[in-house]
Structure formats: structure tokens, C-alpha cells
Amino acid sequence: RKGAMRAGSLLGASTLRGLSPGASSPRDVPVRSVRALAHPRAASESSPDVAAGLGERSRRGDSSSTSRRGSFTLGRRRPASSAQTSSRALETASTAASTSAPSWKDEPAIGPLGIERAHLPRHVAVIMDGNARWASERGVAVATGHEAGVDTLRTIVRCCGAWDVAALTVYAFSHENWRRSRQEVEHLMSLLERTLVSELPSLVEEGVRVTVMGDMGMIDDNLRAAIAHAVESTETNTKLRLNVALSYGARQDIVNACRMLATEAAGGLLDPEDITEDLLGEHLASRTLPAELREPDLLVRPGGERRVSNFLLWELAYSELYFADCMWPDFGEGDFREALAWYAGRQRRFGARGIAA
């Protein structure tokens, strides 16, 4: 198929096509249910424009800046007045979203899976691939494919909650995606921000805990605030861990972990002989998850490609890899059932003989 999309983006390659009438930039698009954006039949459920209240985006700076180094930390220090303004705007946006976005309870019910829990993966990782090709095949704007991709993500999150999958890690935006045009990146970041705000009430209601891993050095204050708010608002939830890989690259993550260990050793805080796999793992971005959940049991990649694209290279060492030919927006409950049924039939020996898990 034409236009194969580079993996690693929640919303894929993007342009500003497909914005609502009168919108000249992603910031002009109202915060609304992404279901309404992807499906015209739901357009009447759109909410008032509260995105503008989140303020202007900060300048990102050069892509080679050293500010991109280091692991994710919530909340860069800012002047008090700016932080207070952002906080008030975010509260306003969240309140509006909670009253306008449809609850997940209004979505079609997820049916029983019919697979014994012992045969299910505890942690599923997903590379969400194919939004742009999906849009191209239908002759619609790429942005429409991205919105439909968010619909699919909502469905898979709901399936994981219904079927007792403990953790779901999704490749939202790769480290390499920063090489794309500024216009494209800003559109992706804006949609991610709006999705976090509009979906947060349902995430809280359904017991989903949100964590984010990656290098946040290039993320602007508005998205940073939305992330921090989602993480804080869901930190006591226990039903499902939704781990979002944002501005993430596995090679960069491993290098960063090695640098941290080398710094500790050079400072006399660590004997190099004490460096183990577990210790290195404690310095990777996936430490956002409990130790027993950091390594995915199953990787799912729709979109027809057969590669892992710099995603969780350390953690995927013994993961089962499942590839589907359908594009991410078409990957629904039935497709996820097939992936889990395939996994249930696998025998995992972890290098040994006669021992299956």
C-alpha cells in the first residue's frame, strides 16, 4: 500500500488538513469528543471551544538542543503567574470536557473474552500504525485518520479494562518524530492534549491510571500541564495502567540509562561490578510501571509492518510479537480478541526446555 507510515505516532504523520471550519491552526480546534471528530454522526456532541483558554504554546527551540536529554519529569519550573493561569485554564477545560464528552458507559459494551485469565498477557504493548494510509485509502484528510486512531485507542483501553489486562503501553510519539515539520508536530501535540483533557473524566471513572514515559524536553507547557493533571488525577486508580510512550526512543533510553550509571560509578556511588540487568532496568523510562509489569508479554502492531521501530528494545526481549495487516483505525475489539487468542496458544519457555508459561 502507498504511503507507509513511520511507526511511533499515536496519530501518525499529520498535516493541518481536516480542521474545523474557521480554524487556522490546531489550537483553534475545539476540545470535543474525538468520536465526534472521527464520525460525522456524532458531530452534535461537540463541546464549546475551551482549548483557547489553555494559552499560547511556548517556543520549542532547536531540535538539537540539550534540553531534550534526560528522563521525564513532571512540571518544569515556571513563573508563578504563568503556572496559575495554566492551572486555572486546565481546570476550566477539564470541567467543560466532563460535561460534554460522552462517558465510556455510553459506548457499546465490551463482551466477555472467553479466555482463562492465566492465559492472558498481563502487559500488552501496542505500536499504533497506519492512520495516514487509512485516510489515504478513503480519500479523506490525514487528520481524520488520526482522530479515528484515537477512537481505536479508546476501544482497546476499554477492552483491557474489561478483560483484566493489567497494563497497556502505547507508542504515542517517537523520539524520531521530532524530525517532522513544526506544523505537523504541533498538530499531533495539540490532538494529544485535547484527547487527554476530553478523556480524563472517563479514565478516572473507569479506574485507569495514566503514566507517561519518555523525554519531555521538547514538550510545551500546555501539554505538560495536561499530562501532569492526568497523572495526578488518576494516581490512585488500580484497574488498568495506561502507560503512554511520548517523545520516546528505546536506543536513546538505554544510552541515557548507561550515562546515569556511569555518572554514579564515576562519583564513587556505584561499583561497576554491581551493575546488573535489574539495576539498568531501574534507570530506564519504563520504571514508570511496577517492576513486575515492565516487560510486555505481548506486542501488537497493526499496519502491516513487521518491525519494532525503536520501541521498548530492552523490555521486549521475551515478548510475543503479533502483527496485523489492518490499519490502526480499523483495529477493533474483534482484532484484539484474535491477538489475545493467538497469545493464549503460545508456549513461552524463556530459553529453557520443557517449561512453558
Side-chain angles (χ1 to χ4, degrees), residues 32 65 226 235 245 267 281 289 304 324-325:
R32 68 184 69 183
S65 170
E235 64 182 352
L289 293 173
D325 290 327

Side-chain angles (χ1 to χ4, degrees), residues 19-24:
L19 299 179
S20 57
S24 59

Side-chain angles (χ1 to χ4, degrees), residues 14 17 65 115 138 145 153 162 185 201 234 238 260 269 307 318:
S14 168
R17 293 176 294 166
S65 170
I115 299 175
R138 288 157 179 76
L153 176 56
V185 169
T234 62
T238 59
M260 288 190 284
L269 302 176
R307 55 178 178 266
Y318 284 100

Side-chain angles (χ1 to χ4, degrees), residues 9 43 46-47 67 77 96 102 163 173 198 228 248 262 270 284 304 322 337:
S9 173
S46 61
S47 65
S67 65
R77 187 179 298 275
W163 298 336
F173 190 87
S198 64
Y248 171 83
L270 175 66
L284 294 173
Y322 180 88
R337 285 175 182 276

Side-chain angles (χ1 to χ4, degrees), residues 24-345:
S24 59
S25 74
R27 179 61 55 191
D28 296 329
V29 179
V31 174
R32 68 184 69 183
S33 163
V34 292
R35 179 170 175 267
L37 287 169
H39 301 292
R41 67 178 181 274
S44 62
E45 298 174 359
S46 61
S47 65
D49 186 357
V50 295
L54 292 173
E56 296 296 325
R57 292 187 175 271
S58 61
R59 189 177 300 275
R60 290 193 287 107
D62 186 77
S63 61
S64 62
S65 170
T66 56
S67 65
R68 292 175 61 178
R69 296 179 181 175
S71 59
F72 171 57
T73 54
L74 284 173
R76 177 179 295 172
R77 187 179 298 275
R78 295 179 293 174
S81 59
S82 175
Q84 291 169 358
T85 299
S86 180
S87 177
R88 286 195 297 269
L90 189 58
E91 289 176 3
T92 300
S94 297
T95 300
S98 66
T99 59
S100 61
S103 168
W104 289 1
K105 295 188 184 322
D106 298 329
E107 299 282 339
I110 302 295
L113 182 59
I115 299 175
E116 293 183 12
R117 187 172 184 178
H119 296 153
L120 289 176
R122 297 192 65 202
H123 181 185
V124 177
V126 179
I127 298 175
M128 301 174 286
D129 190 14
N131 295 339
R133 282 171 285 161
W134 181 91
S136 177
E137 289 169 359
R138 288 157 179 76
V140 298
V142 173
T144 302
H146 304 331
E147 304 289 355
V150 175
D151 261 6
T152 296
L153 176 56
R154 184 193 302 111
T155 297
I156 300 308
V157 171
R158 294 179 61 236
C159 286
C160 287
W163 298 336
D164 293 325
V165 174
L168 173 67
T169 295
V170 294
Y171 208 0
F173 190 87
S174 77
H175 194 277
E176 290 76 16
N177 289 154
W178 288 114
R179 300 172 185 171
R180 297 177 179 179
S181 71
R182 178 166 181 158
Q183 184 181 56
E184 177 180 333
V185 169
E186 287 186 348
H187 182 211
L188 296 172
M189 294 296 113
S190 175
L191 183 52
L192 178 57
E193 179 188 323
R194 291 183 285 116
T195 300
L196 275 173
V197 171
S198 64
E199 299 293 327
L200 183 57
S202 290
L203 291 167
V204 172
E205 183 179 23
E206 297 298 322
V208 179
R209 181 176 180 179
V210 177
T211 53
V212 178
M213 70 176 193
D215 179 354
M216 297 292 104
M218 300 283 284
I219 300 298
D220 70 30
D221 287 346
N222 292 318
L223 179 53
R224 190 188 305 276
I227 291 170
H229 185 55
V231 169
E232 180 181 3
S233 298
T234 62
E235 64 182 352
T236 60
N237 288 351
T238 59
K239 188 172 186 179
L240 170 67
R241 296 291 290 260
L242 174 58
N243 190 40
V244 181
L246 176 63
S247 186
Y248 171 83
R251 287 182 173 179
Q252 294 83 354
D253 188 29
I254 293 170
V255 168
N256 188 60
C258 292
R259 284 175 176 163
M260 288 190 284
L261 290 171
T263 299
E264 293 176 21
L269 302 176
L270 175 66
D271 185 336
E273 294 297 323
D274 292 333
I275 298 176
T276 63
E277 292 182 9
D278 288 341
L279 184 59
L280 192 148
E282 290 294 333
H283 289 73
L284 294 173
S286 56
R287 64 185 181 273
T288 53
L289 293 173
E292 67 274 13
L293 289 177
R294 289 175 190 166
E295 298 182 4
D297 302 296
L298 172 65
L299 170 72
V300 175
R301 179 172 186 164
E305 304 294 352
R306 267 66 174 168
R307 55 178 178 266
V308 297
S309 299
N310 199 23
F311 183 45
L312 299 175
L313 298 180
W314 178 273
E315 294 85 355
L316 289 176
Y318 284 100
S319 302
E320 302 294 328
L321 309 182
Y322 180 88
F323 301 102
D325 290 327
C326 67
M327 302 298 108
W328 173 244
D330 286 331
F331 190 86
E333 178 183 339
D335 300 287
F336 195 34
R337 285 175 182 276
E338 291 182 11
L340 296 182
W342 175 86
Y343 173 85

